[in-house]
Amino acid sequence: MDWVYLIEVLVGGLMSGVMYSLVAIGFVLIYKSSGIFNFAQGTMLLFASLTFVKMTENGIDFWTSLFIAAGIMVIFGIATERYVIRPLANQDLLALFMATVGLATFQEGFSQFVWDSDVHGLQMSKFLDIGLLDPAPIFMSDHIPWLDILIPKFDIFASLVAGSLIVVLAFFFQKTKTGLSLRAVSDDHMAAMAVGIPLQTVWAVVWAVTGVIALVAGLLWAERVSVSFTLIEAVMKALPVILIGGLTSIPGAIVGGLVIGVGEKLGEIYLADVFGGQGIELWFAYFMALIFLIFRPQGMFGEKLIERV
Amino acid sequence: MATIPGLVLSNKQKSPDAVALRYKQLGIWNTYTWNDYYNEVSVLVDAYNKSLSVSKGTVVAVYGNNVPKLIFSIAAVQTLGGIVALIHPESTEGELKTILNNSNAEILIAEDQQQVDTFLKVESECNVKKIVYLDGRGMATYDNSKLNSYDNLVSEAKNESIDSMISGLSDNEVAFYLFDEHEDKIYKVSHEAIIKNSTKISELNKLSQNDSIVSYLPLSIPTNLLFTYITSLVCGMSFNLPESNQTIEKDLQEIGPSILYAPSFVYKHIITSISYRIESATQSNYDRYMNHYKKLMNIYEKEVSGNKSLIDSIQKVWVMLTTFAPAKNVFGLTNIKHAFVSDGVLSKVNFDFFHAIGVEIQHSFGQAISCGCISVQPDHSVSSENVGAPLSGTEIKVNENSEVLFKTDCLGENLSGEANVDNGWVNSGYVGSMDNSGNVIIDGRTEDIVTLKSGKKFSPESIENLVSCSPFIKSTVIIGENQDSNSAIVIIDPNSVNSWADRKNIRYTGYAELAAKEEVRDLIKDHIKCVNETLDDHLKVKRFVILHRTLIMTAGEVSKTMEVMRKNITTNLNDVFSAFEKNESKFTVNDIDQLTYDLKVNEI
Amino acid sequence: MTDILKVENVTLTFGGVKAITDISFNVREGEICAVIGPNGAGKSSMLNVINGVYLPQIGTVTYDGVERRTINPRDAAIAGMARTFQNIALFQGMTVLENIMTGRNLFMKSSWLEQGLNIGRARKEEKENRLAVEKVIKFLQIESIRKTPVSKLPYGLQKRVELGRALVAEPKILLLDEPMAGMNLEEKADMSCFILEINKEQGITTVMIEHDMGVVMDISDHVVVLDYGKKIGDGTPSEVMSNQDVIDAYLGVSH
Amino acid sequence: MSKSLLKVNNIEVVYNHVILALRGVTLDVEEGKVVSLLGANGSGKTTTLKACSNLLHAERGAITKGSIEYNDNDISKTDAYNLVKDGVVQVLEGRHCFSHLTVEENIMTGSFIRENPKEAKQDLERVYDHFERIRIRKKSLAGFTSGGEQQMIAMGRALMSRPKLILLDEPSMGLAPQLVEEIFAIVKNLNKEGVSFLIAEQNAMVALKYADDGYIIENGRVILKGKASELLERPDVKEMYLGVGAEGKTSFRDIKYYHRRKPSFS
Amino acid sequence: MIYRETGNFVTNYFKDREIFPLKFDKIIVIIGLLFLYLYVPTTSEYTLSAHVVPILAVGLATVGLNILTGLTGQLSLGTAGFMCVGAFSTYNLMLRIPEDFMSLPVALLFSGIFAGLVGVIFGLPAIRIKGFYLLVSTLAAQYFVWWFFNSYAWFLNYETSGVVAIPPKMYDYWGLGNLLGIDMQGYPARYVLALTVCLALTYFAKNLLRSNTGRNFMSVRDRDIAASVMGISVPRTKLLAFFVSCFYCGVAGGLYSFCYIGNVDLMIYEIDRSFTILFMLIIGGLGSISGSWLGAIFVYEFPIVFTWVGDTIFQGAFNTAVVENVSNMVYGVFIIALLIREPGGFAALWATTKQKLRMWPYPH
């Protein structure tokens, strides 16, 4: 067995897992704070990256575009809270889920209506020439000499972004007053309101933050699979990730992403022949999640539900 | 063969498969054909004969709501020659004792535990030998040798032909003992009398087998007995019994009867309910309703005066379709052909309203002694004042004291034998007059006549009736005896006044506070002012007080048919009366609930 | 009288926290047994152990002569246990009639195919079971709300419907979890009357959790007192009322 | 007569645009008073309280008629956050503690509206002084505390915003009789410090014992109001809410199934 | 103001369970049936092929999804996958079994059963997994099925393009066409087949809904613990719901391929279709059979009407992309607005309107 190859596959899997995690974090953030299973996470990615791409295509420079796109996502997040979530407060979870399905549909139509339905390439390398990274095509593969394993620099960059996001979020949750109120809100909406925590402001913050996370994730994803409708489908993979991770846990989102990323790569290499067909990655992640959930229905870090009757 | 069992038999022979009785139970309308009816009765005859030894002349008290078992029992007892004494299911112990003892009842047929319990409290003071209960719920542990379960009696009985027994009955035998709540007297009524009376009504109104009637009041109310039970037997029409007290509205709607009989309070209730509903509707719907209401009444006036135009007719169809047909549908009035009112008259506003929406109200008048009816308005009558012309075979006249006297071939007899019959003329106990076309106008009870200080006399009931016509007023008591002018105790209707107050955004807590509100006072004041305009000077209501509570049936303040019982009110609310006498503007009432309330007298 | 239900040394923990510690008690056939104690005393958990919603870590439940470590709720239902819940667990999307009809599901033997085609047995069953349901509706005097969605009913009536749903299953033993919580006096009177009738006239053994001491003292034959997962009293109402442990832990100043 | 702190004027509340929960509720809380609102479940107590603290919309409820005044300002449109700032705070029925937060964190959430963290620390001590029982458990997760402790946490949490008026919903629910007395004793203490209370309760006996004024609500309507001491003496209240009839207490064993049937159309 | 309940009473429990208790309704239903069977087939080929038949197919799938999601509360995103199973089984049954034994209606029945069995397999996890976690299972079904039929060319009779046209002889079930002299491949005949299947299955669903099975479904949806305490087997009920639901989807897939487009095409059973059907369900109203049909009509017809408006009023200003995007936006807005105002969807709107009309102008 080719160990180097295996490690390479594993590392590759881990890296693509990071990509899943990036999407999953947004999911978890919203679910944790409001119990909403946000199906629109994928379209948020599409909308964010499409907005960004269209601006750069029209000659606006990278940082300005990034800034404006982030602003638009914040506004979008706040608007979503105001016009979709707030009127639906305290509906049952299925209704809220369906509302996000509606939101996703709307966003899908809206982003392609405002911009267009074409496929756009995104080459961040064109824009990013910060000294930290090599000026040359930075997101291309390279050798790390001491192990002779091929790791795309892009993936390292993505992992760094994901890592710093998590550190920031963790600090935010545990150490700030808003963080405490957020935890309170996720525990019990009604009680949070009763003690004077402005629920709607908290939610608006969460949706805005999620919007920005979606932009970051969207750009990184777009670099890999281009900006188009397919982005939404690619992001569907984040579903098994969060479900394995357990819906309410940010570490869960990370670990889930890595598990799926690695598992998928391994599956493709070792199981594709068994099934006598190519492209099992289409469904393999779902099956992994399914088998995992059968043994642990609440996911890896999910809270075990004791049903009080 | 005109006896009650005889009618069952003849209906069975004529149309055995026609529907005789429907009873909503367990969610569906259980149907009995005349054939079933007959069979049930014949089994019961055997059971009552064997186990209770009911025989000719045995007095059987029937105490309960209308359920089939009770209905069958009536015919069965009478087949055996027994006499049925009807008792209201909500009768108190005292009332029950009086009726049982005065009628010398030997057997009691009680509906369920409630009736049995009431009886057991007075058991030792009565001569009742056996009790049959129709529903054994809650009584498994009762240990009383007098108690018999209906179901047990029936299971041991045989179904044998009772044709010969029925044909052996004589129609001038006593069929019922009827209790008159107002007079506190019992009257005996023969088969012949009550059936003849009913035949008159059904012939006058052309009632037939295809009609249907819902009976939701106990048969112990004499007029109800006549109009629903006897008439359904006479015509062979279906007699429908609702499921429970809470479901009457729905049940009435489901059956959609063609004949409605009710005391006036039920009609008032319908008016109030409509008003209550519309008061809580949106403003635009409310305005439109009011608008349509005016239009409808306008058209009706034209209709009465005979100059309705085509446009009016079209408009009426529109108004009915959009506004009033739904109300008729909700209350199950859509199919009504005849709506009989007993005990007094509806006020003109309400009378006209019902006629305008196509519910033909027909006033009637009668008491236990006259088998429930001596006069009834014909179809399409337009006058709300009279109670119709005398039935055939009946004569009515008014004597010099305005007392209404009548002569009828369907007369009951006072059980205690006191004669209030003079030369064939019976004093009805009411005062009134006759109009030009020979219709009777009833003003009120003779005993209630009020004499003002000025010496003028009048009957308070007619004024009470006028004042109460507002949907906001549940009932009124007029006081005037020995005073300069009339005063009124007004009891507001909680439902409609609540929704009215909510519409007006009035702050209040509870009935007592609502009744004391200035806005409510003004509302009532305005209404009384309007009423006063139609009254002669000496009859005008000059002062009124809004009572802090509704009248209580168990305290005897209203009768079983929601009529004001003046005597008991006078004792219970003595403080109000004396306040009027002493001309106080503010006073305190020591009420029967041992609490005190401050009330205000309002001048008009 | 024989013991229809024996709870022996039951211990139940949730994630390391003990909800019930070593509790034993017996319920005799035909009695009304009340379980009282403060919130969190483990009363509801006890009921959940009895009918198999929770599995105890230690201990057994003997019901109807059969000793069981574990039982699942469905088997408990088949064995003749029916129950109501503390926080009404009616099927909110259904009408009163439909809710009570679900209580008859064990009596429905026709297959879903027959039901879908609405033929033969399915039709007949629907009719027969409807009759049983209607009798319960009449018993509980809820005729007028038969076709109302339960979500539109006031609390007191919902409680009554839930009792109906349990009763219609023709159980041998009825487990009632706070049947009178949140009711006014009149509603409590209704409910106690129904419970007594069910117990005395239909002979159904009743285990009831209740807070209202007045009701418990009046209608129960046997009282078990729990406090923080432990049993501190067991006996007739008057015995329990005079038990010093019970007064100290639960009642406070004696009433 | 002291100043009226909270005035509820004839409010009507509708849930989900259709279900009428309150139809004309009117009540007053005077400054420095304890007011009890009595009624069965579903009669509208909780809805009234939530209307006052503006938590209704979270359950798809809305005030469709009437107004609520606090310190003479209409607050029916003020959101819960600003109400807490103004000094109106609600303690929810069933406590609603944040079960994944520690006891102390729970209490600290109540200081969200407070600007000065130092003051909040002092207030925390004050809360522990009132509720000695929870001081010793401050590090444990609120989810693992008992019903009585949770009630105290919820009340302590509310105190952190230095309220003038506390809306207390069903404090006695599910508590042992002796704990109920303890909770109400604390209410009385707080009241002495100047906090007014509007308490929704089913347990009429306790609620009236500790209150100044009482309101009785049935089917979404206030049907009776009065001084608590007077209400306690009223025969109808005694019979309907305290279970003491004219002939003394009637046993539940003697009640007949037909006692509630009423004649039609009356 | 239209409905009149007065005089409408039931004398036995059968009558109380009737789907259309009011006489007025019964008359409307009879008129509706006559219209559907006698008038609609005579309309143009275009009307049938572009509007009516496809609505019947997707509407049936919506009813299927409704049984699973609306009635039993199990969220599914695999509808198109189950339709795909139905379409491919129908084709293969017709292709591989001698025509003496097989004809389209029978093939539809069996492919429904196949789809149902596939549904049960993917429903098995529902025994342990609840709520959103179950999405994984139905998504797995969707992607796996699609991949499966894509990977094994045998199912498409080795047609490499991924699309296979349906040979005309497959429509001639039992030689019925020759017998009656009707072109069985023509849209009128296809329509009548689809209509009959849909009506029969709608009736079946309605019966289930008002029987013990339906109540079991709903009890599992509303409160599964209470259901199990009542003695309802929750796993069995969930699996049955999966079977019945997927049966409907399978038959709908067969109808879609055979009666509507006339070929078996893998591309039309992608996940988008699952979503479209979910939209139909949400907009129509969860838990209501008639709502499913309303939702299907709305979602299917909207782009067509929108295009028509564009063509006639704006001279064809809207290209396909615009129509698609605008449709998506409209669906989104409708879903959100309905959830906010009337979570029961069109069905509930219809019910409240009916109720209001009945009582109007009285509020209650």
Side-chain angles (χ1 to χ4, degrees), chain B residues 11 14-15 18-19 34 207-212 235-238:
Chain B
N11 278 320
K14 255 188 293 180
S15 38
V19 176
W34 286 110
L207 306 183
S208 76
Q209 198 186 347
N210 302 326
D211 285 311
S212 59
C235 303
M237 66 169 90
S238 68

Side-chain angles (χ1 to χ4, degrees), chain A residues 31 35-37 39 83-84 87-88 91 93-103 105-113 116-117 229 233 236 239-240 242-244 246-248 274-283 285-287 289-290 293-299 302-303 307-309, chain E residues 69-70 73-75 77 121-122 124-126 128-130 132-148 150-152 221 223-226 229 270-272 275 278-279 281-282 286 321-333 335-336 338-343:
Chain A
Y31 187 85
I36 295 170
F37 192 92
F39 205 77
Y83 296 107
V84 182
L88 282 168
Q91 284 278 39
L93 295 180
L94 191 64
L96 282 162
F97 166 74
M98 293 189 306
T100 62
V101 171
L103 183 67
T105 322
F106 175 79
Q107 225 167 25
E108 183 187 328
F110 181 74
S111 48
Q112 299 191 31
F113 181 71
D116 55 41
S117 318
F229 177 73
E233 289 229 354
M236 286 280 258
L239 281 176
I242 45 169
L243 294 174
I244 284 188
L247 275 179
T248 49
V274 183
F275 286 97
Q278 288 302 306
I280 63 164
E281 77 208 313
L282 197 62
W283 50 267
Y286 302 103
F287 269 75
L290 201 54
L293 288 178
I294 285 173
F295 291 103
R296 212 180 144 76
Q298 72 273 25
E303 283 142 13
E307 283 190 72
R308 306 295 273 176
V309 285
Chain E
T69 305
Q74 311 296 306
L75 205 49
L77 289 178
I121 293 169
F122 283 97
L124 279 171
R128 264 185 75 77
I129 307 175
K130 280 182 188 173
F132 297 124
Y133 290 91
L134 194 64
L135 276 180
V136 151
S137 182
T138 53
L139 275 174
Q142 170 70 42
Y143 284 113
F144 181 78
V145 164
W146 199 88
W147 170 86
F148 185 75
N150 193 30
S151 302
Y152 299 95
R221 170 194 70 189
R223 215 54 192 274
D224 56 355
I225 288 207
V229 167
E270 285 196 284
I271 192 159
D272 304 31
F275 279 109
L278 185 64
F279 300 158
L281 175 65
I282 300 173
L286 270 81
V322 171
V323 171
E324 202 194 317
N325 291 333
V326 170
S327 299
N328 275 335
M329 284 162 69
V330 168
Y331 299 152
V333 168
I335 289 172
I336 293 169
L338 274 174
L339 285 170
I340 292 170
R341 288 299 303 179
E342 186 56 89

Side-chain angles (χ1 to χ4, degrees), chain A residues 13-36:
Chain A
L14 283 175
M15 291 304 156
S16 63
V18 169
M19 298 298 292
Y20 293 141
S21 304
L22 271 170
V23 185
I25 289 170
F27 257 117
V28 170
L29 209 55
I30 287 179
Y31 187 85
K32 209 172 149 63
S33 68
S34 52
I36 295 170

Side-chain angles (χ1 to χ4, degrees), chain B residues 46-299:
Chain B
D46 188 45
Y48 286 171
N49 187 19
K50 263 197 312 211
S51 325
L52 307 177
S53 36
V54 175
S55 59
K56 198 166 161 61
T58 314
V59 179
V60 179
V62 172
Y63 182 23
N65 286 295
N66 303 347
V67 289
K69 288 173 180 175
L70 187 140
I71 305 286
F72 299 141
S73 296
I74 294 175
V77 167
Q78 289 171 342
T79 305
L80 290 163
I83 301 163
V84 173
L86 293 163
I87 308 176
H88 196 282
E90 302 295 325
S91 282
T92 52
E93 295 144 40
E95 229 169 47
L96 178 67
K97 197 176 76 184
T98 318
I99 302 174
L100 288 179
N101 285 339
N102 290 349
S103 62
N104 209 7
E106 291 171 45
I107 292 160
L108 180 74
I109 300 179
E111 188 195 352
D112 59 21
Q113 196 186 12
Q114 179 181 4
Q115 280 78 31
V116 171
D117 282 354
T118 316
F119 170 75
L120 291 178
K121 285 183 202 151
V122 296
E123 187 194 358
S124 55
E125 300 163 64
C126 301
N127 299 325
V128 172
K129 297 194 188 93
K130 290 223 160 106
I131 309 156
V132 180
Y133 56 86
L134 307 182
D135 177 0
R137 175 168 186 187
M139 296 196 285
T141 54
Y142 282 30
D143 183 27
N144 186 322
S145 56
K146 287 181 187 169
L147 283 174
N148 295 282
S149 149
Y150 177 97
D151 296 333
N152 285 346
L153 293 186
V154 165
S155 64
E156 291 159 12
K158 286 194 298 268
N159 182 0
E160 284 170 349
S161 169
I162 50 169
D163 291 10
S164 57
M165 288 171 90
I166 292 175
S167 47
L169 290 170
S170 150
D171 58 4
N172 52 24
E173 276 172 41
V174 177
F176 294 104
Y177 283 171
L178 299 177
F179 178 65
D180 189 313
E181 208 182 344
H182 291 278
E183 298 177 15
D184 219 355
K185 281 176 190 158
I186 297 173
Y187 292 94
K188 50 184 178 189
V189 163
S190 71
H191 289 278
E192 187 196 9
I194 198 159
I195 290 171
K196 205 174 190 183
N197 214 0
S198 167
T199 315
K200 290 177 197 168
I201 295 169
S202 49
E203 276 170 7
L204 185 69
N205 293 292
K206 303 188 183 64
L207 306 183
S208 76
Q209 198 186 347
N210 302 326
D211 285 311
S212 59
I213 193 160
V214 173
S215 181
Y216 45 85
L217 292 171
L219 294 182
S220 64
I221 298 167
T223 44
N224 188 36
L225 178 75
L226 175 76
F227 277 97
T228 64
Y229 175 70
I230 306 286
T231 306
S232 72
L233 282 171
V234 166
C235 303
M237 66 169 90
S238 68
F239 186 63
N240 300 285
L241 308 174
E243 184 163 29
S244 76
N245 282 334
Q246 286 82 41
T247 57
I248 287 172
E249 267 183 33
K250 182 83 188 115
D251 294 343
L252 196 61
Q253 189 197 47
E254 286 184 3
I255 287 295
S258 61
I259 299 167
L260 187 65
Y261 156 81
S264 52
F265 81 92
V266 173
Y267 295 95
K268 179 104 176 32
H269 173 86
I270 293 173
I271 299 268
T272 312
S273 300
I274 294 176
S275 145
Y276 159 64
R277 280 165 206 239
I278 204 68
E279 284 286 350
S280 49
T282 59
Q283 190 63 39
S284 65
N285 272 346
Y286 177 81
D287 294 343
R288 216 210 23 243
Y289 174 86
M290 286 305 170
N291 182 14
H292 277 190
Y293 180 81
K294 265 185 217 128
K295 245 184 222 159
L296 179 78
M297 296 319 284
N298 262 334
I299 299 168

Side-chain angles (χ1 to χ4, degrees), chain A residues 37 206 212 245:
Chain A
F37 192 92
V206 172
V212 175

Side-chain angles (χ1 to χ4, degrees), chain E residues 14-233:
Chain E
F14 295 132
K15 242 183 138 184
D16 199 37
R17 274 183 80 231
E18 281 184 349
I19 299 174
F20 302 104
L22 298 183
K23 210 177 253 166
F24 182 82
D25 289 344
K26 282 183 192 134
I27 295 167
I28 298 276
V29 167
I30 290 168
I31 294 173
L33 281 179
L34 290 176
F35 175 80
L36 286 175
Y37 271 105
L38 298 181
Y39 173 71
V40 177
T42 64
T43 55
S44 70
E45 183 105 328
Y46 170 77
T47 312
L48 291 174
S49 66
H51 296 281
V52 186
V53 178
I55 286 178
L56 285 174
V58 291
L60 189 63
T62 314
V63 172
L65 180 61
N66 201 351
I67 290 171
L68 189 59
T69 305
L71 285 185
T72 321
Q74 311 296 306
L75 205 49
S76 167
L77 289 178
T79 320
F82 300 120
M83 285 176 79
C84 188
V85 175
F88 275 78
S89 345
T90 316
Y91 176 70
N92 281 291
L93 284 167
M94 296 294 294
L95 182 73
R96 291 173 207 284
I97 295 183
E99 48 193 276
D100 296 346
F101 300 106
M102 191 49 69
S103 65
L104 190 50
V106 180
L108 282 175
L109 178 73
F110 279 101
S111 37
I113 293 173
F114 278 136
L117 293 174
V118 173
V120 169
I121 293 169
F122 283 97
L124 279 171
I127 296 171
R128 264 185 75 77
I129 307 175
K130 280 182 188 173
F132 297 124
Y133 290 91
L134 194 64
L135 276 180
V136 151
S137 182
T138 53
L139 275 174
Q142 170 70 42
Y143 284 113
F144 181 78
V145 164
W146 199 88
W147 170 86
F148 185 75
F149 287 120
N150 193 30
S151 302
Y152 299 95
W154 182 81
F155 290 103
L156 265 183
N157 211 9
Y158 300 102
E159 185 70 51
T160 44
S161 63
V163 183
V164 58
I166 295 163
K169 64 170 179 135
M170 286 190 180
Y171 288 100
D172 192 28
Y173 25 102
W174 301 305
L176 208 63
N178 298 335
L179 216 67
L180 297 172
I182 302 169
D183 173 17
M184 296 308 274
Q185 203 196 345
Y187 270 100
R190 292 196 208 175
Y191 161 74
V192 171
L193 173 69
L195 178 68
T196 310
V197 169
C198 287
L199 284 178
L201 288 181
T202 305
Y203 176 69
F204 188 88
K206 200 82 191 165
N207 279 339
L208 270 193
L209 186 64
R210 63 200 175 117
S211 70
N212 193 42
T213 309
R215 287 190 297 268
N216 288 357
F217 284 170
M218 289 188 280
S219 61
V220 167
R221 170 194 70 189
D222 287 347
R223 215 54 192 274
D224 56 355
I225 288 207
S228 69
V229 167
M230 302 314 307
I232 295 166
S233 167

Side-chain angles (χ1 to χ4, degrees), chain B residues 454-571:
Chain B
S454 56
K456 291 206 164 137
K457 288 185 179 187
F458 67 94
S459 163
E461 278 157 51
S462 50
I463 303 176
E464 282 165 8
N465 213 349
L466 280 171
V467 175
S468 304
C469 76
S470 158
F472 299 117
I473 298 176
K474 201 175 168 85
S475 39
T476 319
V477 184
I478 294 287
I479 306 168
E481 187 71 31
N482 248 333
Q483 291 181 32
D484 297 327
S485 60
N486 279 339
S487 311
I489 303 175
V490 173
I491 293 97
I492 55 172
D493 188 289
N495 287 326
S496 53
V497 180
N498 271 345
S499 17
W500 175 83
D502 290 348
R503 171 176 290 277
K504 300 274 172 202
N505 220 352
I506 295 166
R507 219 182 123 120
Y508 67 95
T509 46
Y511 186 92
E513 197 179 328
L514 181 64
K517 279 280 157 190
E518 303 231 322
E519 292 90 339
V520 175
R521 193 197 62 199
D522 293 342
L523 176 78
I524 303 300
K525 199 172 184 170
D526 290 345
H527 173 69
I528 295 180
K529 270 183 191 160
C530 283
V531 172
N532 274 347
E533 276 168 32
T534 65
L535 293 170
D536 292 342
D537 267 348
H538 71 282
L539 296 177
K540 285 193 187 339
V541 178
K542 292 283 166 58
R543 292 174 301 168
F544 71 96
V545 64
I546 300 177
L547 201 64
H548 57 276
R549 62 165 170 85
T550 49
L551 299 177
I552 304 165
M553 190 193 279
T554 48
E557 294 174 343
V558 282
S559 74
K560 307 275 184 319
T561 53
M562 307 304 281
E563 287 168 286
V564 166
M565 302 284 268
R566 213 165 297 272
K567 222 186 310 166
N568 295 329
I569 296 176
T570 320
T571 28

